[in-house]
Amino acid sequence: MSWLGPIPIIATMNEHMDPEDDYVVITNAEEHMKMKAAARQKVSDETHAKLRALSRHLEQAKVSASRPSNIPTEQEHLSSMNDIEDTRMGLGKAINDAEGLLASKEAELLRLRDEERAFENMDVTSDHELDSTALRLQICRSLGFEPILDKHGNVAKILVRSESNEVHSVTFDGHQSDAYYTQMLWDLASH
């Protein structure tokens, strides 16, 4: 076949073709295609908007489902609870021990108060004779006078401790009066 062979076929077809009808069909097809593309674009945009909204919702759900960094993990929480329980048990034991000690101290206090009342009601002077000599000797020593006795139990001399912590010895030879010795002892004690 030659290159001119299809021309008669095209000429016969030309009679059946109406370019206006074809143009209208093509224009309608293009319009239909544009409407379909716009509808597809609208659906695509709506789908993308829904997808973005769902992605944000998913991220928020992930954040709310995850444990915040300032809250301990489950294992740390259990360990902390066990430590607190151990502390509570230790404190309970300490409280029980302290209450037991308190009860024993209260009982001892009651016993001591009873003893105190018994001692207050007791007449100690009737049970013992007061030794006035020992009492006088103690008073003299507290004032700084220390009597030295001879072998017969009489005062031979007195050691006098003065206010300046000097020690003086006064011998009683019987040549002076009691008033003289008294004055001399007080003078030595006050210097």
Side-chain angles (χ1 to χ4, degrees), residues 139-191:
I139 292 171
C140 286
R141 284 185 179 157
S142 68
L143 292 173
F145 302 106
E146 175 108 17
I148 308 294
L149 304 177
D150 62 11
K151 56 185 170 190
H152 303 295
N154 297 323
V155 176
K157 64 180 175 178
I158 292 184
L159 296 177
V160 180
R161 185 175 310 273
S162 67
E163 289 179 357
S164 62
N165 271 342
E166 292 179 19
V167 179
H168 303 281
S169 175
V170 176
T171 305
F172 296 104
D173 55 7
H175 294 87
Q176 303 293 335
S177 68
D178 288 344
Y180 172 78
Y181 285 121
T182 303
Q183 185 63 41
M184 183 173 65
L185 290 172
W186 283 114
D187 286 343
L188 290 173
S190 60
H191 288 137

Side-chain angles (χ1 to χ4, degrees), residues 74-111:
E74 183 178 350
Q75 189 64 26
E76 292 170 338
H77 179 70
L78 287 174
S79 175
S80 175
M81 291 298 290
N82 287 338
D83 291 344
I84 290 170
E85 182 65 20
D86 291 344
T87 302
R88 186 183 72 81
M89 295 297 284
L91 289 174
K93 184 180 181 309
I95 288 170
N96 284 341
D97 292 346
E99 286 175 346
L101 181 63
L102 176 65
S104 69
K105 293 295 181 184
E106 285 176 344
E108 183 179 357
L109 179 63
L110 288 173
R111 182 185 57 78

Side-chain angles (χ1 to χ4, degrees), residues 13-174:
M13 286 182 66
N14 217 5
E15 298 171 5
H16 298 296
M17 289 176 85
D18 183 13
E20 285 184 21
D21 284 341
D22 288 342
Y23 177 74
V24 169
V25 168
I26 290 173
T27 305
N28 286 342
E30 283 179 352
E31 285 296 319
H32 184 68
M33 294 291 281
K34 285 181 185 177
M35 286 178 14
K36 287 290 186 184
R40 276 195 308 271
Q41 187 63 40
K42 182 180 176 184
V43 168
S44 176
D45 290 344
E46 289 174 356
T47 305
H48 281 306
K50 285 181 184 177
L51 179 62
R52 281 191 297 274
L54 288 172
S55 293
R56 280 192 302 271
H57 187 66
L58 176 63
E59 286 303 316
Q60 290 172 350
K62 282 182 180 178
V63 168
S64 68
S66 66
R67 188 180 298 269
S69 61
N70 61 345
I71 295 177
T73 65
E74 183 178 350
Q75 189 64 26
E76 292 170 338
H77 179 70
L78 287 174
S79 175
S80 175
M81 291 298 290
N82 287 338
D83 291 344
I84 290 170
E85 182 65 20
D86 291 344
T87 302
R88 186 183 72 81
M89 295 297 284
L91 289 174
K93 184 180 181 309
I95 288 170
N96 284 341
D97 292 346
E99 286 175 346
L101 181 63
L102 176 65
S104 69
K105 293 295 181 184
E106 285 176 344
E108 183 179 357
L109 179 63
L110 288 173
R111 182 185 57 78
L112 290 173
R113 283 186 179 160
D114 289 343
E115 285 181 18
E116 179 187 23
R117 277 189 223 105
F119 283 133
E120 286 175 353
N121 295 333
M122 186 184 298
D123 185 15
V124 291
T125 58
S126 66
D127 293 345
H128 302 287
E129 278 190 36
L130 292 178
D131 185 4
S132 62
T133 306
L135 189 58
R136 278 188 251 142
L137 183 61
Q138 183 61 34
I139 292 171
C140 286
R141 284 185 179 157
S142 68
L143 292 173
F145 302 106
E146 175 108 17
I148 308 294
L149 304 177
D150 62 11
K151 56 185 170 190
H152 303 295
N154 297 323
V155 176
K157 64 180 175 178
I158 292 184
L159 296 177
V160 180
R161 185 175 310 273
S162 67
E163 289 179 357
S164 62
N165 271 342
E166 292 179 19
V167 179
H168 303 281
S169 175
V170 176
T171 305
F172 296 104
D173 55 7

